[in-house]
Amino acid sequence: LLDLTNDELMDLVTARCRRRMSRGLKRKPMALVKRLRQAKRDAPPGEKPRGIKTHLRDMIIVPEMIGSIIGIYNGKQFCGVEMKPEMIGMYLGEFACTYKPVKHGRPGVGASTMNKFIPL
């Protein structure tokens, strides 16, 4: 997967990703890729690179990112995610949930008003 050409990669991903890639990488995503390259270069051999923080939740994961650690902003904090080969073609935002799933507990004070009804 790491040595795929752009055309081979385009065949693997969805139509939305193909369209986005065909229109080219803009300045901010390119800067993120550049910082990931630098972090990989600076890491000692055999160790994981340092984490890179980003707000770019709409960035598509490309093979060059594999092995990197990216802190993805979820609106409150940065969630550290290690990039794996299965993630190619997905968006960064898919791995940092923006809400806390609801845990339903007991009903609150005003939940059952019929019990308090007193006829006059």
Side-chain angles (χ1 to χ4, degrees):
L1 282 173
L2 289 172
D3 53 339
L4 286 177
T5 65
N6 275 350
D7 294 331
E8 292 170 338
L9 178 63
M10 294 273 231
D11 295 335
L12 295 175
V13 296
T14 59
R16 177 80 248 166
C17 293
R18 278 196 299 273
R19 177 176 163 76
R20 178 100 182 267
M21 287 177 178
S22 68
R23 295 171 71 86
L25 275 178
K26 304 291 186 254
R27 199 169 110 219
K28 283 190 176 180
M30 207 59 224
L32 173 64
V33 172
K34 193 174 170 185
R35 289 180 63 205
L36 290 171
R37 278 188 205 133
Q38 184 66 38
K40 273 188 179 179
R41 213 176 304 131
D42 294 346
E47 287 190 27
K48 293 180 183 177
R50 65 181 172 81
I52 301 294
K53 292 180 179 180
T54 183
H55 282 246
L56 298 174
R57 296 173 56 82
D58 61 343
M59 173 81 182
I60 296 167
I61 298 170
V62 291
E64 193 174 0
M65 296 177 169
I66 301 303
S68 301
I69 297 171
I70 301 178
I72 307 163
Y73 194 63
N74 68 359
K76 185 177 181 182
Q77 61 195 20
F78 290 92
C79 303
V81 179
E82 184 179 353
M83 297 294 120
K84 295 185 172 59
E86 303 89 55
M87 297 178 177
I88 291 176
M90 296 180 175
Y91 290 93
L92 288 179
E94 293 181 54
F95 303 101
C97 192
T98 57
Y99 64 92
K100 189 174 179 182
V102 178
K103 294 183 180 72
H104 294 283
R106 298 192 45 154
V109 175
S112 56
T113 55
M114 290 307 293
N115 298 342
K116 298 176 195 166
F117 180 70
I118 302 168
L120 295 173

